[in-house]
């Protein structure tokens, strides 16, 4: 059986910009798709990135600094939840599909490093 004929886990981020070293996550989504294309699990997070969201980024994803501050969860706690969701999927053997993998996974890595309460060994991949 080919990896594309079974379940897949999609991962996507919307961010404050395009620099993986300095920009922050605004939204994250982890979606499990079954072999027939149906969605069996969907998790979406709105984060308060702790920094202003530039107008250029808001124009792309539609989320303003004010909206993120009012409705978003603290970034550090969301990063831990997102990490667990991705790790659980990977542990189950579900392939991870990412539209812009180089960028999204690199920025996600940097956010995990910034989340001071997450020790590198606290979540096992």
């Amino acid at each position: 059986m080919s990896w594309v004929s079974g379940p897949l886990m999609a991962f996507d981020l919307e961010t404050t910009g395009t620099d993986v070293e300095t920009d922050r996550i605004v939204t994250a989504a982890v979606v499990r798709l079954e072999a027939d294309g149906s969605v069996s699990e969907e998790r979406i997070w709105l984060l308060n990135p702790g920094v202003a969201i530039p107008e250029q980024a808001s124009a792309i994803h539609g989320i303003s600094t004010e909206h993120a501050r009012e409705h978003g969860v603290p970034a550090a706690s969301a990063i831990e939840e997102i990490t667990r969701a991705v790790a659980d999927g990977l542990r189950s053997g579900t392939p991870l599909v990412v539209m812009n993998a180089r960028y999204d996974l690199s920025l996600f890595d940097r956010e995990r490093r910034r989340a001071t309460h997450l020790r590198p060994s606290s979540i096992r991949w």
Side-chain angles (χ1 to χ4, degrees):
M1 173 163 81
S2 169
W3 69 271
V4 296
S5 61
L8 299 172
M9 181 175 49
F11 177 74
D12 188 42
L13 300 178
E14 295 297 336
T15 66
T16 60
T18 60
D19 185 333
V20 298
E21 300 301 333
T22 60
D23 284 310
R24 302 289 197 266
I25 296 172
V26 177
T27 68
V30 176
V31 179
R32 181 181 167 91
L33 300 167
E34 297 305 322
D36 65 2
S38 65
V39 174
S40 61
E41 185 177 352
E42 181 178 57
R43 305 255 341 250
I44 299 172
W45 294 264
L46 171 63
L47 286 67
N48 176 352
V51 298
I53 300 171
E55 287 183 26
Q56 302 92 318
S58 291
I60 293 169
H61 52 62
I63 301 166
S64 67
T65 300
E66 296 74 25
H67 183 82
R69 286 180 179 158
E70 184 176 342
H71 301 286
V73 298
S77 63
I79 297 302
E80 185 168 6
E81 289 179 21
I82 297 161
T83 300
R84 288 189 193 286
V86 171
D88 288 348
L90 293 173
R91 271 195 299 274
S92 76
T94 306
L96 182 65
V97 179
V98 187
M99 177 66 147
N100 189 359
R102 181 187 298 187
Y103 174 75
D104 282 8
L105 295 176
S106 294
L107 191 130
F108 183 52
D109 171 69
R110 299 326 184 270
E111 285 280 50
R112 288 191 67 238
R113 292 177 189 198
R114 282 189 284 268
T116 57
H117 73 283
L118 271 180
R119 296 183 318 275
S121 62
S122 68
I123 297 176
R124 301 178 106 196
W125 293 96

